[in-house]
Amino acid sequence: MENLEQTCASLRAQIAATEAQLAGLKRDLGIAEQAAADVKAQDTARTIAEDKRSDNGTRKWPLLGEEYKRYGRQMIVPQLGLQGQLKLRSARVLIVGAGGLGCPAALYLAGAGVGTLGLVDGDTVENSNLHRQVLHRSKNVGKFKVDSAIEYLRELNPHPTYVPYRAHLTPQEAPDIFKDYDLILDCTDNPATRYLISDTAVLLGKPLVSASALRTEGQLMVLNYPPRPVGDKTGGPCYRCVFPKPPPANSVVSCADGGILGPVVGTMGVLQALEAIKVITSPTLNSSASPPSLLIFSAYSTPPFRTIRLRARRANCAVCSAEASVTLKTLKSGSTDYVFFCGVADLEATLSPEERISPLELRKKHPKEVPQDGGRLSKEPTIIDVREKVQFDICSLENSINIPISTILSSASSSTNADANAQPSLPSWLPTELASAESTDPIYVVCRLGNDSQMAVRRLKELGLDQGGQRYIGDIQGGLRAWREQIDPDWPEY
């Protein structure tokens, strides 16, 4: 048995090394392809520059002949016109995040003819991105998202200038990046970065189009518009005005955990591009804008859109009020700690090491035995899978019991009202065989990544299922992702 485990470990190590080498080759290929694309873009730019001059070196029309054909359908829209198109061509827009929101936003802004488009993202393309991040293709898996996106955008429209920033946004670098742009689009998916983007935009006087999407719902806001100076009450509210306090860290759900429908995030990204075009082509960038509002989209509601009016700037806002405590100096110095401000869900410390077991240790403790002489198989351990049913239906461990974490936690509040001296009543979702006081069989809890399972273990112990420590209740560390890495390489990765 030990030899087989060593062989498996050796093969996993070889696979990991090969995958690392493959990732390196993909990065090298991406750099080479990017260099080739840059050369091609330079040739295109040179051709465009030559076309801009007539024989005597003067321009007869404000746009190139090809541009009139390319943008003609939008230029005849009364709200845009030739002047609006010229504003788009001279505009500089920065998109932070080249994912589900950033891809459609960049696609339509490039198509509309925005003069300069900057993209900020330090991530690389993964297969799990492709169902919704429409600028990326299968062949670009492993390539920086900004490079993959710009490759597509250049094929769509060679006229704009595309500027890649192949790193995650930091407080120290954000001001220097933002200062060269007229308008910012927040296409990120975590609170810390959202506050950073909004703060930087306000301090530099840049309007901000912010959106978010999860599962089947999305939100959209145009912030700091009009972009008045700090302390000017006539300016548009910022992200801190709308959300003075960040949500609890353990309540923030990512697309990886909560899921997302591609058309939902695509809808919000397209709406961001639309709002950006409206801001750019308005009579003046600092003109009086419509009252600030929050647009809420719900794909499975009727009607799917509704709007909530937002208040003006808060009198005590930490960024845009006269009492501001966040400045460019605090940003660049690092004294404004966004991760600390938003909190960190330290779920890894929820349970003690004794209450956690790795998939490999679990398999050693409860080997899957096959009888040689018709003898009796050893009893399978009790495994509670706390993923939601929709995930449990995708794949599950053999003989595991599905009790969703939402069901487990929803019963916690009702039990807190009970007499403190009384034994906690057992909830209806708990199977009878687990509630039996006679059983001391261990219970192992598993989830997708090893976070929800820890909360479930705590709840089961609060209900007294561990019988005062006589019965082992613990979680499978790392969840089903670790199970795939350590036990079953064929386990579906979703």
Side-chain angles (χ1 to χ4, degrees):
M1 184 64 182
E2 290 184 2
N3 290 336
L4 287 174
E5 291 175 354
Q6 290 176 357
T7 301
C8 292
S10 176
L11 290 172
R12 291 190 191 98
Q14 292 180 48
I15 291 172
T18 303
E19 288 178 342
Q21 184 181 11
L22 179 60
L25 290 172
K26 286 183 176 180
R27 281 193 297 271
D28 292 342
L29 175 61
I31 293 171
E33 289 178 338
Q34 186 62 42
D38 290 341
V39 171
K40 184 177 179 181
Q42 290 173 5
D43 292 340
T44 303
R46 191 179 302 112
T47 302
I48 292 173
E50 292 172 355
D51 290 343
K52 288 181 179 179
R53 304 181 183 88
S54 60
D55 292 339
N56 59 2
T58 60
R59 291 288 304 280
K60 184 176 181 181
W61 304 106
L63 295 174
L64 302 177
E66 196 273 339
E67 288 179 299
Y68 282 102
K69 292 181 180 179
R70 181 182 288 267
Y71 308 126
R73 298 296 189 275
Q74 67 187 32
M75 287 167 56
I76 60 177
V77 174
Q79 289 87 343
L80 194 75
L82 174 62
Q83 293 305 313
Q85 190 61 51
L86 292 174
K87 287 181 179 180
L88 286 172
R89 191 172 69 166
S90 62
R92 299 176 61 86
V93 178
L94 181 69
I95 298 177
V96 185
L101 293 167
C103 283
L107 188 67
Y108 277 96
L109 289 176
V114 168
T116 300
L117 208 54
L119 283 86
V120 182
D121 201 313
D123 288 339
T124 56
V125 180
E126 299 177 359
N127 279 317
S128 61
N129 304 145
L130 300 178
H131 85 282
R132 67 193 184 281
Q133 299 181 14
V134 293
L135 290 182
H136 310 309
R137 289 164 286 182
S138 297
K139 72 172 187 176
N140 285 343
V141 169
K143 180 183 287 189
F144 276 110
K145 286 186 178 180
V146 292
D147 293 333
S148 173
I150 290 174
E151 177 186 314
Y152 189 109
L153 295 174
R154 281 196 176 121
E155 293 177 3
L156 172 69
N157 190 352
H159 292 281
T161 299
Y162 302 104
V163 184
Y165 299 90
R166 303 176 185 90
H168 296 296
L169 194 68
T170 65
Q172 292 76 17
E173 296 177 350
D176 291 333
I177 296 175
F178 281 32
K179 66 181 175 59
D180 295 326
Y181 293 89
D182 307 313
L183 175 66
I184 313 299
L185 269 64
D186 179 358
C187 300
T188 61
D189 61 358
N190 70 86
T193 308
R194 290 188 183 282
Y195 282 102
L196 167 60
I197 293 171
S198 175
D199 292 353
T200 309
V202 169
L203 295 173
L204 293 176
K206 314 290 184 181
L208 169 66
V209 182
S210 177
S212 62
L214 182 68
R215 297 191 178 103
T216 62
E217 299 179 343
Q219 297 182 352
L220 175 75
M221 298 179 289
V222 180
L223 301 170
N224 195 41
Y225 186 63
R228 305 291 191 221
V230 170
D232 189 335
K233 296 180 181 179
T234 64
C238 70
Y239 195 78
R240 286 183 188 261
C241 293
V242 182
F243 303 108
K245 295 182 179 180
N250 57 9
S251 71
V252 177
V253 180
S254 67
C255 291
D257 293 329
I260 181 71
L261 285 184
V264 171
V265 71
T267 297
M268 304 317 297
V270 170
L271 287 173
Q272 280 186 282
L274 176 59
E275 291 300 327
I277 291 173
K278 288 164 60 179
V279 171
I280 293 168
T281 58
S282 63
T284 61
L285 195 59
N286 290 300
S287 65
S288 297
S290 302
S293 61
L294 170 65
L295 177 68
I296 298 176
F297 171 68
S298 182
Y300 284 82
S301 296
T302 303
F305 290 98
R306 61 192 179 98
T307 303
I308 299 175
R309 185 166 179 173
L310 298 176
R311 295 179 179 178
R313 287 182 170 181
R314 287 180 175 268
N316 61 345
C317 178
V319 180
C320 64
S321 72
E323 304 174 5
S325 58
V326 178
T327 65
L328 288 176
K329 184 177 180 180
T330 65
L331 276 184
K332 292 186 176 182
S333 67
S335 59
T336 302
D337 191 331
Y338 290 91
V339 175
F340 177 79
F341 174 68
C342 293
V344 178
D346 190 13
L347 293 173
E348 288 298 321
T350 300
L351 300 179
S352 65
E354 292 75 22
E355 296 174 295
R356 315 200 73 187
I357 187 170
S358 71
L360 203 55
E361 291 170 337
L362 178 66
R363 178 52 59 86
K364 287 181 179 179
K365 197 169 186 178
H366 301 278
K368 199 167 186 179
E369 296 180 0
V370 179
Q372 301 296 325
D373 54 359
R376 184 183 176 187
L377 284 171
S378 61
K379 185 179 179 181
E380 290 289 325
T382 299
I383 297 178
I384 299 177
D385 189 326
V386 297
R387 293 174 299 158
E388 297 301 315
K389 186 178 183 301
V390 66
Q391 295 190 48
F392 185 79
D393 289 343
I394 293 174
C395 53
S396 61
L397 296 176
E398 188 177 355
N399 298 320
S400 59
I401 303 169
N402 183 217
I403 308 177
I405 187 66
S406 58
T407 301
I408 295 174
L409 296 181
S410 65
S411 65
S413 57
S414 61
S415 64
T416 56
N417 298 325
D419 186 353
N421 296 322
Q423 278 293 108
S425 56
L426 296 178
S428 58
W429 50 260
L430 194 64
T432 306
E433 60 271 20
L434 295 184
S436 173
E438 299 177 357
S439 176
T440 58
D441 294 336
I443 297 175
Y444 302 99
V445 184
V446 70
C447 65
R448 188 180 177 193
L449 302 175
N451 295 329
D452 290 344
S453 57
Q454 296 183 65
M455 293 187 285
V457 168
R458 279 279 172 259
R459 180 62 184 136
L460 293 176
K461 289 191 173 184
E462 289 172 3
L463 292 172
L465 264 67
D466 63 338
Q467 300 175 15
Q470 296 183 24
R471 185 185 205 179
Y472 178 84
I473 301 179
D475 90 310
I476 299 178
Q477 191 169 8
L480 293 170
R481 176 180 291 180
W483 185 273
R484 181 180 188 276
E485 294 170 353
Q486 299 178 24
I487 304 297
D488 185 4
D490 294 328
W491 184 266
E493 184 178 11
Y494 64 93

